[in-house]
Amino acid sequence: MFQKILIANRGEIALRIIRACRELGIKTVSVHSTVDENSPHVRFSDESVCIGPPESHLSYLQIPAIISAAEITGADAIHPGYGFLSENPHFAEICHSCKIKFIGPTSENIRILGNKAKAKEIMKAAGVPVIPGTEDQLDSPETAKKMAREIGYPVIIKSCFGGGGRGMRIVEKEEKIEAIFSSLQKEAFNSFGESNLYIEKYLQKPKHIEFQILADTEGNIIHLGERDCSIQRRHQKLIEETPAAQLSDSLRKKMGEAAIQATKAANYTSAGTVEFLVDSKGGFYFIEVNTRIQVEHPITELVTGIDLIKEQIKIAAGHKLLSGKDNFRFEGHSIECRINAEDPKKFIPCSGKITALNLPGGPGVRVDTAIYCDYTVLPYYDSLIAKLIVHGKDREEAIRKMDQALHEFQVEGIKTTIPFHRKVFKNKNFIKGEFHTDFVDSFLQH
Amino acid sequence: MFQKILIANRGEIALRIIRACRELGIKTVSVHSTVDENSPHVRFSDESVCIGPPESHLSYLQIPAIISAAEITGADAIHPGYGFLSENPHFAEICHSCKIKFIGPTSENIRILGNKAKAKEIMKAAGVPVIPGTEDQLDSPETAKKMAREIGYPVIIKSCFGGGGRGMRIVEKEEKIEAIFSSLQKEAFNSFGESNLYIEKYLQKPKHIEFQILADTEGNIIHLGERDCSIQRRHQKLIEETPAAQLSDSLRKKMGEAAIQATKAANYTSAGTVEFLVDSKGGFYFIEVNTRIQVEHPITELVTGIDLIKEQIKIAAGHKLLSGKDNFRFEGHSIECRINAEDPKKFIPCSGKITALNLPGGPGVRVDTAIYCDYTVLPYYDSLIAKLIVHGKDREEAIRKMDQALHEFQVEGIKTTIPFHRKVFKNKNFIKGEFHTDFVDSFLQH
Amino acid sequence: MNFKEIKKLISIFEDSKILSELEVEESGFKVRLKKSAHETEVIQTTPSAQPSSSKPSHTAVGKTEEAHEAGMEGLIKFESPIVGTFYHAPGTNKKPFVKEGEIVQKGQILCIIEAMKIMNEVEVDIKGRIIRVYVEDGTPVEFGQPLFLIEPL
Amino acid sequence: MNFKEIKKLISIFEDSKILSELEVEESGFKVRLKKSAHETEVIQTTPSAQPSSSKPSHTAVGKTEEAHEAGMEGLIKFESPIVGTFYHAPGTNKKPFVKEGEIVQKGQILCIIEAMKIMNEVEVDIKGRIIRVYVEDGTPVEFGQPLFLIEPL
């Protein structure tokens, strides 16, 4: 097992990883920018290294600074968390060449699965259903038009290197292809340094369902059930739950098998997520593999009883997955709300000092956060300030628990998305489990 | 099911009951003294009634004010929590005569089991092992001496109406009986209005182990496993865990059966606790039945998956116990630390304003509390400000989780028992599970 | 004196309504704090004179509290001594115990509060004029809830 | 009182709506803070005023920060621009790049910081005298850690 892990992240996920390391008896090194000097991830780690100024690209994204920090502290592994460098194949490669274990998949895994078109190709070859669309990159708006005619409108054009809702656009009519194509190309180049695009059928009213995968280096693969992430705004997930509300057992079984098939086809190791869209007729289509721990991993932990971060670390250390007492089960229902420091109507990030705070608690309530009263939410980083996760006997109990926990969750001094969540948990369609990826857009209009 | 429950309590347990009611779809009425006007239990209940000035005996112990509050708000049941009126048979009786359901056992149950000598008599008759001692009240120091000679020193002399460590004294030698007898008689009269005493064999190095019982009105009784409450100071529990660290499965089984036997013998309904002392030779002796929900109930909840407060409410409403989906299991290990606003060395209660607060969180960590940053701990009430509860796969993981959670739990402005707990969780004997009720005394001396 | 202590000193100084300057000197160590003229003025305005001599003591059953709202100087709020249901008259269709404008004597019954089926007569402990009745007949009242506004005479 | 504490003190002073002056003196060390009448000019700064024209801009590789400790007026702290291991000399048994008391020219190499097996030469961006070397040869340094105290010339 590792002696000392450097955590190349901040906020709640850094704290989450510190907690897992502590339980495993592993020392922790946190890294921080100058403004994060007094943050919880710094306070609660065994050592800490300042790696740069506030701006992410000069600190948390600064590969040499992070590798150096690992070297001067003698860390033998790096956990990247999510975001920042977690899906950067170059970083994984450098870690490897510096003989520091990158806790995640291989750089090859990240590189191939990070290319959406390439990933789709692999899955198609492995017999995993994919959304009809181009296998190759689009070379021109003309090819896009030709493909769109074959597939049928609406279609969606995406950047090969996009993700998290960025670098994609829905096209309803042929006459709009030209303009969207070129603007998307520019946007993709500016955001990801690559302008490659591809096209797909756009599914209407789909559910976004992902499967949590664990794969060890010995080739053992299991899935720990699905997560319904359909409650999203501009492709940013806001609420996740497991099990999915309206998914038949037979479809769940088929999709779980496809997820394992996908993992095998990609020769993947570590914790990962296979994402699907499910249409109203029970058709399901592979979208992508997320090669990192997900923000929403806690709901799977509560339902299965598995600590995913610990499992991820153990797999990286060469352990067989779920060795020892780590049996899993599927028990009850779990839901997560992402509490963002954002205006609850327009979702504009908002920074500032938290002047009053009441965190919810009690049975079946878990809060993953690195905020406290008097903490200042900084404008440099992600707006996620807390994850509120509940676990109940069934979906109804989980919803009531979340409703109460949201009621108790009080933050003053900054705007948060709590009022948005409170409304969702009183919405009839949500309560009935009748929702698709368009839920938030139509919900916000009313 | 009840429409509206009045909660005759304050602090974390009042909030705990509100949470359970919310999940059951029951409206809540809180009661509060003038100084508790802005407390969480008031903020998070549906209605609230001010029942008196700060002093408990003029507010939270004021039966007419509480009954009146239930009447003017139309509450059809009262949950007494723990402490205050929870074990007052007179209060349970008045509730009954006012046609308000008292959520707990019958007043008869409380009255009989509240009399320690009487309870022992019943248990002895039912074949539940009891500690050798008097069956009747002691009439004089002479009888005490005679009994002590029969039983063998050391003995313990207790008030029939004492509890929670008050009204009891260990006697090592015959020549001390006289003085202790009369001082205890006075003390008992001043504290409980009754001076009746009884005598028992004093067990050396015993473990204090209690069983959680649920009994419905149809005569169904189950136990939900034991809790080891041996870590106590002056008979005040500080740390509790389940399962007990060094209890053989065969002894556990025998004790569980005895607990059910005891419950049956007392004709008991509702949630309750049967307490035993276990000596080093595996002998176990009934001490008492606690006729209320216990402070330490959450550890049983985490291990069994049962919401004890909800179960208690449902039983009071006449439901069959564990109806519906409420199956239970015994999974993992759970520990609770009572965080008191007390000096961690001398355990002197300390009131004041909390100027900074960081609550622990993450997987397997539960915090039951009604404090927040800027909350003022009042001198009028119990010093318990939070319960920190963890759940791990096994005892080792639970200990590591608690160690980390205590590390994260930061309170400024007042003294708390957190430093005491942090030391206990680094103590070798505690970690090995080798401790008895004398642990804290000898631990504090070093 | 360490940094924390200086911080505390500042907060004590800020909170003080009386101090305008503060200086601490101790074996070569010195702290001096001064408030701005404007701020000191604001603080000095608050203790505007109010006749504290008119404060009544608590009644046997009822509780009176000085009224602090604007235009209510010198008036007394008579608060409910118990939780229950407020009755303004001894029975339905009966005349109320007191009306607004009426002068009441010390020991006179102002209302009944029913608690646990018992009718509790509530007496006033001062002589005064009833300025306002806050609560309607038959409404529930909590402990300390204002029932009457009284001008002491 | 160290630099961090002075910074905190200033921020407390700035945030306070009440304080107009603050003075801390400790064994020959003194901080005096005063708010201007208009409140636009925030701090009237520490004892002997210092020519702000002498403040250097950031170097290409290094970063300099005005020293605020007592007796360090006008001095500059040269901070580490990167995380890594500090080397005071180009190799073992070699002469150090600079010694205390030495005058350095703009662009001169002060030290090497090794990061990811790469030796990064760190240049100074001002002319000045090395007053102090804070870090020992071969020790790890983090971003922003003071390496040298320099008197600008």
Side-chain angles (χ1 to χ4, degrees):
Chain A
M1 185 44 78
F2 307 116
Q3 297 301 306
K4 198 190 263 188
I5 292 177
L6 181 140
I7 298 147
N9 216 303
R10 66 183 298 285
E12 69 85 17
I13 191 64
L15 196 52
R16 172 72 187 86
I17 299 161
I18 290 170
R19 287 167 177 157
C21 290
R22 272 258 179 164
E23 285 180 27
L24 290 169
I26 301 168
K27 295 268 175 216
T28 52
V29 180
S30 64
V31 294
H32 64 92
S33 70
T34 48
V35 281
D36 271 343
E37 197 184 341
N38 298 311
S39 291
H41 76 283
V42 175
R43 268 192 289 154
F44 299 125
S45 56
D46 296 303
E47 286 173 80
S48 189
V49 179
C50 180
I51 50 165
E55 299 80 1
S56 297
H57 69 282
L58 299 173
S59 50
Y60 296 104
L61 289 169
Q62 224 358 258
I63 295 177
I66 289 166
I67 298 287
S68 261
E71 285 179 341
I72 65 172
T73 54
D76 48 359
I78 292 181
H79 197 303
Y82 53 72
F84 291 135
L85 297 168
S86 61
E87 287 170 297
N88 183 323
H90 181 56
F91 180 60
E93 204 166 273
I94 290 179
C95 287
H96 184 72
S97 70
C98 291
K99 299 195 167 39
I100 299 165
K101 184 72 193 174
F102 175 84
I103 299 173
T106 64
S107 61
E108 192 58 16
N109 285 156
I110 302 174
R111 183 169 289 114
I112 288 174
L113 295 170
N115 180 328
K116 308 280 137 82
K118 184 83 187 149
K120 229 175 108 171
E121 206 177 288
I122 293 170
M123 295 312 155
K124 206 171 168 181
V128 178
V130 298
I131 297 178
T134 44
E135 273 162 52
D136 298 314
Q137 293 155 16
L138 291 173
D139 51 8
S140 69
E142 282 63 45
T143 329
K145 280 183 199 169
K146 189 168 153 263
M147 284 302 302
R149 250 173 270 142
E150 272 177 34
I151 300 166
Y153 285 91
V155 295
I156 186 162
I157 302 182
K158 298 183 182 182
S159 157
C160 293
F161 296 90
R166 293 174 313 151
M168 50 178 71
R169 211 72 54 84
I170 300 157
V171 193
E172 309 272 354
K173 291 175 195 162
E174 181 158 320
E175 48 267 43
K176 290 201 173 164
I177 285 227
E178 206 118 354
I180 286 175
F181 191 91
S182 68
S183 85
L184 205 51
Q185 233 173 3
K186 255 180 242 154
E187 193 187 314
F189 186 79
N190 291 338
S191 302
F192 319 112
E194 302 267 5
S195 61
N196 305 335
L197 302 180
Y198 68 105
I199 193 169
E200 270 178 4
K201 176 150 188 63
Y202 178 68
L203 300 176
Q204 282 168 305
K205 295 200 172 290
K207 282 182 171 276
H208 182 138
I209 289 177
E210 60 185 29
F211 276 74
Q212 176 66 50
I213 289 293
L214 285 178
D216 66 19
T217 48
E218 293 174 25
N220 302 302
I221 306 173
I222 55 157
H223 79 78
L224 292 171
E226 81 282 7
R227 293 186 287 253
D228 188 334
C229 308
S230 303
I231 307 291
Q232 40 185 255
R233 182 184 167 275
R234 304 204 178 151
H235 298 268
Q236 299 282 357
K237 296 167 189 170
L238 299 172
I239 298 171
E240 301 95 352
E241 64 179 298
T242 184
Q246 292 183 335
L247 193 70
S248 70
D249 282 346
S250 65
L251 186 52
R252 176 175 290 116
K253 193 158 172 281
K254 265 199 277 178
M255 289 177 72
E257 282 161 6
I260 287 182
Q261 220 172 332
T263 312
K264 208 172 277 172
N267 200 15
Y268 189 83
T269 54
S270 185
T273 302
V274 184
E275 304 208 335
F276 298 101
L277 286 182
V278 182
D279 68 19
S280 46
K281 292 157 204 138
F284 66 93
Y285 307 96
F286 169 85
I287 323 172
E288 59 173 322
V289 175
N290 282 309
T291 59
R292 58 162 195 278
I293 195 75
Q294 298 272 80
V295 174
E296 60 271 25
H297 76 272
I299 57 173
T300 299
E301 294 185 324
L302 292 185
V303 161
T304 62
I306 295 298
D307 185 317
L308 287 170
I309 304 285
K310 278 162 81 168
E311 231 21 73
Q312 197 188 17
I313 292 170
K314 287 195 268 179
I315 289 171
H319 292 208
K320 189 169 175 243
L321 66 84
L322 299 184
S323 47
K325 293 194 183 182
D326 302 319
N327 301 312
F328 68 103
R329 34 86 170 158
F330 293 105
E331 189 183 273
H333 196 98
S334 182
I335 311 181
E336 170 182 281
C337 284
R338 299 192 188 192
I339 312 299
N340 295 337
E342 289 172 4
D343 176 288
K345 281 180 185 154
K346 301 191 182 290
F347 295 86
I348 296 161
C350 131
S351 51
K353 190 170 172 176
I354 294 170
T355 54
L357 178 66
N358 191 64
L359 292 180
V365 174
R366 169 174 164 186
V367 183
D368 277 26
T369 188
I371 62 165
Y372 49 87
C373 187
D374 287 341
Y375 175 82
T376 298
V377 178
L378 297 164
Y380 308 104
Y381 313 113
D382 195 86
S383 60
L384 179 83
I385 53 166
K387 302 190 310 204
L388 174 56
I389 311 120
V390 298
H391 185 220
K393 293 263 171 218
D394 49 29
R395 191 165 187 271
E396 192 194 339
E397 189 180 284
I399 287 175
R400 285 181 185 235
K401 254 187 218 292
M402 184 61 91
D403 183 53
Q404 168 67 9
L406 287 166
H407 179 52
E408 291 176 26
F409 204 143
Q410 305 197 330
V411 184
E412 280 172 35
I414 55 163
K415 287 182 181 177
T416 74
T417 49
I418 293 171
F420 163 83
H421 289 297
R422 291 199 65 179
K423 271 199 279 176
V424 171
F425 279 81
K426 301 204 184 309
N427 178 281
K428 275 184 197 166
N429 290 330
F430 178 79
I431 290 169
K432 277 191 274 181
E434 285 170 1
F435 54 82
H436 308 93
T437 53
D438 59 357
F439 174 85
V440 176
D441 283 339
S442 68
F443 173 77
L444 288 174
Q445 280 163 20
H446 298 101
Chain B
M1 185 45 77
F2 307 115
Q3 297 302 307
K4 199 189 262 188
I5 292 176
L6 181 140
I7 297 147
N9 217 303
R10 65 182 299 283
E12 69 85 19
I13 192 64
L15 195 53
R16 171 73 188 85
I17 298 162
I18 290 170
R19 287 167 178 157
C21 289
R22 271 259 180 164
E23 284 178 29
L24 290 169
I26 301 168
K27 295 270 176 215
T28 52
V29 180
S30 64
V31 293
H32 64 92
S33 69
T34 48
V35 281
D36 271 344
E37 199 185 339
N38 298 311
S39 291
H41 77 282
V42 175
R43 268 193 289 154
F44 299 126
S45 56
D46 297 303
E47 286 173 78
S48 190
V49 179
C50 180
I51 50 165
E55 298 80 2
S56 297
H57 70 282
L58 298 173
S59 51
Y60 297 104
L61 289 169
Q62 219 8 253
I63 296 177
I66 290 166
I67 298 286
S68 260
E71 284 179 341
I72 65 172
T73 54
D76 48 0
I78 292 181
H79 197 304
Y82 54 70
F84 291 135
L85 297 169
S86 61
E87 288 170 295
N88 183 323
H90 181 56
F91 180 59
E93 204 167 271
I94 289 180
C95 286
H96 184 72
S97 69
C98 292
K99 298 196 169 40
I100 299 166
K101 184 73 194 174
F102 175 82
I103 300 172
T106 63
S107 61
E108 192 58 16
N109 284 158
I110 302 174
R111 184 168 289 115
I112 288 174
L113 295 170
N115 180 328
K116 307 282 138 80
K118 184 83 188 149
K120 228 175 110 174
E121 206 177 288
I122 293 171
M123 295 312 156
K124 205 169 168 184
V128 178
V130 298
I131 298 180
T134 45
E135 273 163 53
D136 297 314
Q137 294 156 17
L138 292 173
D139 51 8
S140 69
E142 282 63 45
T143 328
K145 279 183 199 168
K146 190 170 152 260
M147 285 301 304
R149 249 173 270 144
E150 272 178 35
I151 300 166
Y153 286 90
V155 295
I156 187 161
I157 302 181
K158 297 184 184 182
S159 157
C160 292
F161 296 90
R166 294 176 312 153
M168 50 178 71
R169 211 72 54 81
I170 299 156
V171 193
E172 310 271 352
K173 291 172 196 163
E174 180 160 318
E175 49 267 44
K176 290 200 174 166
I177 285 224
E178 206 120 350
I180 287 175
F181 192 90
S182 68
S183 85
L184 205 52
Q185 233 175 1
K186 255 180 244 156
E187 192 186 314
F189 186 78
N190 290 338
S191 303
F192 319 113
E194 302 267 4
S195 61
N196 305 335
L197 303 179
Y198 67 106
I199 193 168
E200 269 178 6
K201 174 149 190 65
Y202 178 68
L203 300 176
Q204 280 168 307
K205 294 201 174 289
K207 282 183 171 275
H208 183 139
I209 290 178
E210 60 186 28
F211 276 74
Q212 176 66 52
I213 289 293
L214 285 178
D216 66 19
T217 48
E218 292 174 26
N220 301 301
I221 306 173
I222 55 158
H223 79 78
L224 292 171
E226 81 281 8
R227 294 186 287 254
D228 187 334
C229 307
S230 304
I231 308 291
Q232 39 185 256
R233 184 184 166 275
R234 305 206 175 149
H235 300 268
Q236 298 283 357
K237 296 167 189 170
L238 299 171
I239 298 172
E240 300 96 352
E241 65 179 297
T242 184
Q246 292 183 337
L247 193 70
S248 70
D249 282 345
S250 65
L251 185 52
R252 176 175 291 116
K253 193 158 172 281
K254 264 199 276 177
M255 289 177 72
E257 283 161 5
I260 287 182
Q261 220 172 331
T263 311
K264 208 173 279 173
N267 201 16
Y268 189 82
T269 53
S270 185
T273 302
V274 184
E275 306 209 333
F276 297 101
L277 286 182
V278 181
D279 69 21
S280 46
K281 291 156 204 141
F284 66 93
Y285 308 95
F286 169 85
I287 322 172
E288 59 173 323
V289 176
N290 282 309
T291 59
R292 56 163 196 275
I293 195 74
Q294 298 273 79
V295 174
E296 60 271 26
H297 76 274
I299 58 173
T300 299
E301 294 185 325
L302 292 184
V303 161
T304 61
I306 295 298
D307 186 316
L308 287 171
I309 305 285
K310 278 161 80 168
E311 230 23 73
Q312 197 188 19
I313 294 169
K314 287 196 269 180
I315 289 172
H319 292 209
K320 192 173 171 235
L321 66 83
L322 299 183
S323 48
K325 293 194 182 182
D326 302 319
N327 301 312
F328 69 102
R329 34 87 171 159
F330 293 104
E331 189 183 273
H333 197 98
S334 183
I335 312 181
E336 171 181 281
C337 284
R338 300 193 188 191
I339 313 298
N340 294 339
E342 289 172 4
D343 177 287
K345 281 179 186 156
K346 300 188 183 286
F347 295 87
I348 296 160
C350 129
S351 51
K353 191 171 172 176
I354 293 170
T355 54
L357 179 67
N358 191 64
L359 292 181
V365 175
R366 168 175 165 185
V367 182
D368 277 27
T369 187
I371 62 164
Y372 49 86
C373 187
D374 288 340
Y375 175 81
T376 299
V377 178
L378 298 165
Y380 308 103
Y381 313 114
D382 195 86
S383 61
L384 179 84
I385 54 167
K387 301 190 310 202
L388 174 56
I389 312 120
V390 300
H391 185 220
K393 293 263 172 220
D394 49 29
R395 191 165 188 270
E396 191 193 339
E397 189 180 284
I399 287 175
R400 285 181 186 238
K401 252 186 218 293
M402 184 61 90
D403 183 52
Q404 167 66 9
L406 287 166
H407 180 51
E408 291 176 27
F409 204 143
Q410 305 196 330
V411 185
E412 280 173 35
I414 54 161
K415 286 183 181 177
T416 74
T417 47
I418 293 170
F420 164 81
H421 289 297
R422 291 199 65 180
K423 272 200 277 176
V424 171
F425 280 81
K426 301 205 184 308
N427 178 280
K428 275 183 196 166
N429 290 330
F430 178 79
I431 291 170
K432 277 191 273 180
E434 286 169 2
F435 53 83
H436 308 92
T437 53
D438 59 357
F439 175 84
V440 176
D441 282 338
S442 68
F443 173 78
L444 288 173
Q445 278 163 21
H446 297 102
Chain C
M1 187 170 271
N2 65 25
F3 181 68
K4 258 195 197 157
E5 290 171 333
I6 297 174
K7 249 174 79 178
K8 267 194 204 152
L9 200 66
I10 293 174
S11 109
I12 291 165
F13 178 68
E14 285 184 354
D15 291 345
S16 167
K17 287 171 186 162
I18 292 151
L19 291 174
S20 73
E21 277 194 53
L22 173 97
E23 199 168 316
V24 179
E25 196 164 348
E26 180 189 17
S27 53
F29 167 76
K30 186 172 154 188
V31 182
R32 200 167 74 86
L33 305 173
K34 190 178 176 180
K35 274 180 195 156
S36 69
H38 170 71
E39 196 55 42
T40 6
E41 254 165 58
V42 171
I43 287 160
Q44 274 173 350
T45 54
T46 33
S48 75
Q50 200 170 21
S52 63
S53 59
S54 75
K55 244 189 225 171
S57 63
H58 292 197
T59 63
V61 235
K63 200 180 146 210
T64 48
E65 180 89 9
E66 217 174 308
H68 286 270
E69 286 88 343
M72 290 199 182
E73 293 81 15
L75 300 186
I76 297 297
K77 279 185 182 172
F78 184 85
E79 298 177 349
S80 178
I82 53 168
V83 185
T85 306
F86 172 89
Y87 293 110
H88 198 177
T92 24
N93 302 323
K94 295 266 170 77
K95 259 205 323 201
F97 291 107
V98 287
K99 277 189 241 172
E100 290 182 358
E102 208 177 308
I103 289 172
V104 293
Q105 300 300 325
K106 191 169 164 178
Q108 192 174 330
I109 293 165
L110 295 189
C111 62
I112 280 174
I113 296 178
E114 182 192 349
M116 295 180 69
K117 316 272 179 271
I118 291 161
M119 297 297 173
N120 301 281
E121 295 184 336
V122 179
E123 295 177 359
V124 64
D125 69 331
I126 51 159
K127 181 182 175 182
R129 188 194 309 276
I130 302 294
I131 303 297
R132 201 176 305 160
V133 183
Y134 284 115
V135 184
E136 267 182 64
D137 193 62
T139 29
V141 291
E142 56 183 351
F143 174 85
Q145 186 172 333
L147 304 177
F148 302 95
L149 186 66
I150 301 177
E151 179 193 354
L153 295 174
Chain D
M1 187 170 273
N2 63 26
F3 176 66
K4 255 192 203 164
E5 290 173 334
I6 296 173
K7 251 174 76 180
K8 269 194 202 151
L9 200 66
I10 292 173
S11 108
I12 290 166
F13 180 71
E14 284 183 358
D15 291 345
S16 169
K17 285 172 186 155
I18 291 155
L19 290 176
S20 73
E21 281 193 49
L22 181 145
E23 196 170 316
V24 179
E25 196 168 346
E26 183 185 17
S27 52
F29 161 74
K30 184 170 156 189
V31 182
R32 199 165 78 89
L33 305 173
K34 188 177 177 179
K35 276 183 193 147
S36 69
H38 333 292
E39 235 182 288
T40 34
E41 210 184 324
V42 187
I43 311 159
Q44 273 201 343
T45 70
T46 38
S48 58
Q50 168 192 340
S52 65
S53 58
S54 77
K55 249 188 222 172
S57 63
H58 292 199
T59 64
V61 234
K63 200 181 147 210
T64 49
E65 179 90 9
E66 217 174 308
H68 287 269
E69 284 90 343
M72 290 198 182
E73 294 80 16
L75 300 184
I76 297 296
K77 277 187 183 170
F78 185 85
E79 298 178 348
S80 178
I82 54 169
V83 185
T85 306
F86 172 88
Y87 292 109
H88 197 180
T92 23
N93 303 323
K94 294 266 170 75
K95 259 207 318 204
F97 292 108
V98 288
K99 276 188 242 169
E100 289 183 359
E102 209 178 308
I103 288 171
V104 293
Q105 300 300 325
K106 191 170 164 177
Q108 192 175 330
I109 293 163
L110 295 190
C111 62
I112 278 173
I113 295 178
E114 181 191 350
M116 295 179 67
K117 316 272 177 272
I118 290 160
M119 298 296 173
N120 302 279
E121 295 184 335
V122 180
E123 296 177 359
V124 64
D125 70 332
I126 51 159
K127 182 182 173 181
R129 187 194 310 274
I130 302 293
I131 302 297
R132 202 175 306 161
V133 183
Y134 283 115
V135 183
E136 268 184 63
D137 193 63
T139 29
V141 291
E142 56 182 351
F143 174 84
Q145 185 172 335
L147 303 177
F148 302 95
L149 185 67
I150 302 177
E151 178 194 355
L153 296 172

